[in-house]
Amino acid sequence: TQLSTMKTNLLNLTHTTLDRLLVPLRVAGRRFTGTRPGSLLRQSIPIRGEWTEAGAGWLELDTVALCGGCLDDRHLWMLDSVDIGTDWAGLRALENRGQHSTLAQIRDLEASLPFPLLGVDSDNGGEFINHHLAAYLHQRPKPVLFTRARPYQKNDNAHVEQRNWTRVRQHFGYERYDNPAVAPLINTLCQGALGDLLNHFLPTLKLEAKVRQGERIVRKYGDPQTPYARALAAQEVSPEQKTRLQTRHTQLNPFQLGRDLETQKKRIEARRRLEA
């Protein structure tokens, strides 16, 4: 009779009651699960906070989903980078956020920089916090400083976050890009017309100081300059590289770049729609 009553009581338990009764067992079980995958690597990468280093070569990285509102990882991503000292822009399309795909485009971005890479700061996503990227940055004659932002603190990557709109969304919108064949077309655009227009002809403002006036904080900005002009003034850019930049600059026409940009964007959009 007692067993029958116990069986009846157990069968009448709700899912909520069972979940509450099993909490102590789940908590106890977690003590024996060990370290979560990737947590040791994450702990070995310091949290930056804000860049205090001056000069060129200190990059913030971020990824932007070209998902059309459906975040399922079967779509393209945009890798966005900005150099803190010069505002030099770097954009590349990713077929996915896998470690190999991301590292390949970071390599290509570094090769296009007019200055040596000194430091990289990213969020805590797996496309950045992995052994492939850590080894690439650290295992070289002059290691690159690799830091990360605090989890869930977007202001830690404010320099690149605020440029995701002007450099990614204004050109590629919020549509879904789920055809891998579009990625090379986007990268051709980013390596050419779009990258040249952003870096050589579009000036940006940089914050120079914050002054408190009563209850207000007044921000003071320097004169607007293009990333190209800031790169020419940077000590980290070699004389040979400055000569190459100047030669490249004289070959560019901003109006032609604008026309090329729109033509290639139409080609990308047509391909995206064709394969949808």
Side-chain angles (χ1 to χ4, degrees):
T1 307
Q2 186 176 2
L3 290 176
S4 176
T5 303
M6 184 180 298
K7 180 180 178 180
T8 302
N9 292 335
L10 286 174
L11 291 175
N12 289 331
L13 287 175
T14 64
H15 292 294
T16 305
T17 302
L18 283 172
D19 188 62
R20 176 174 54 80
L21 293 174
L22 290 173
V23 166
L25 295 177
R26 293 197 185 101
V27 173
R30 289 196 187 105
R31 298 171 185 169
F32 303 100
T33 58
T35 307
R36 292 183 301 167
S39 61
L40 287 177
L41 175 63
R42 187 178 294 107
Q43 292 171 11
S44 70
I45 300 173
I47 293 177
R48 185 204 73 190
E50 293 185 5
W51 285 119
T52 56
E53 293 80 1
W58 305 91
L59 264 60
E60 280 188 5
L61 300 178
D62 192 22
T63 50
V64 182
L66 303 179
C67 63
C70 182
L71 197 64
D72 55 10
D73 275 340
R74 294 195 296 270
H75 51 78
L76 302 186
W77 294 78
M78 186 67 74
L79 174 66
D80 192 6
S81 74
V82 60
D83 176 62
I84 305 302
T86 65
D87 263 355
W88 193 270
L91 294 166
R92 295 293 186 275
L94 305 174
E95 293 184 11
N96 55 69
R97 283 199 303 174
Q99 300 174 11
H100 294 283
S101 177
T102 306
L103 179 57
Q105 297 305 327
I106 290 177
R107 286 176 179 270
D108 191 62
L109 275 177
E110 182 181 6
S112 69
L113 295 175
F115 39 75
L117 182 60
L118 302 178
V120 166
D121 184 74
S122 71
D123 58 25
N124 292 269
E127 70 273 29
F128 299 123
I129 309 301
N130 59 74
H131 291 282
H132 294 280
L133 182 57
Y136 172 69
L137 297 175
H138 292 158
Q139 295 177 8
R140 55 174 71 188
K142 187 175 180 180
V144 172
L145 178 64
F146 185 19
T147 62
R148 60 187 175 91
R150 294 171 296 174
Y152 311 110
Q153 299 292 326
K154 284 186 174 293
N155 283 341
D156 284 0
N157 293 99
H159 293 88
V160 69
E161 288 278 355
Q162 67 185 359
R163 288 164 176 78
N164 286 340
W165 163 250
T166 56
R167 295 178 178 178
V168 179
R169 294 303 185 192
Q170 283 190 350
H171 293 288
F172 302 99
Y174 291 88
E175 301 296 335
R176 182 176 177 85
Y177 294 74
D178 53 10
N179 175 20
V182 177
L185 299 178
I186 295 178
N187 282 333
T188 298
L189 175 64
C190 294
Q191 293 163 352
L194 180 55
D196 287 335
L197 196 62
L198 290 173
N199 291 320
H200 284 264
F201 296 104
L202 296 185
T204 60
L205 292 172
K206 290 190 70 65
L207 182 67
E208 291 187 345
K210 294 181 181 180
V211 179
R212 177 172 289 278
Q213 295 181 356
E215 296 182 354
R216 297 178 54 205
I217 295 179
V218 179
R219 293 173 173 83
K220 295 186 176 181
Y221 295 88
D223 295 332
Q225 288 184 298
T226 60
Y228 162 74
R230 292 193 179 98
L232 290 183
Q235 296 180 355
E236 293 76 14
V237 181
S238 67
E240 295 78 14
Q241 188 62 256
K242 289 180 180 178
T243 300
R244 285 192 287 270
L245 277 177
Q246 291 170 327
T247 302
R248 175 65 176 165
H249 187 76
T250 59
Q251 298 170 348
L252 298 175
N253 181 329
F255 299 103
Q256 184 60 47
L257 288 176
R259 290 189 289 268
D260 293 343
L261 175 63
E262 295 305 319
T263 300
Q264 293 182 53
K265 282 167 60 176
K266 290 178 181 178
R267 189 179 300 123
I268 291 170
E269 177 63 13
R271 186 63 178 271
R272 183 189 71 82
R273 290 179 177 272
L274 180 65
E275 298 293 338

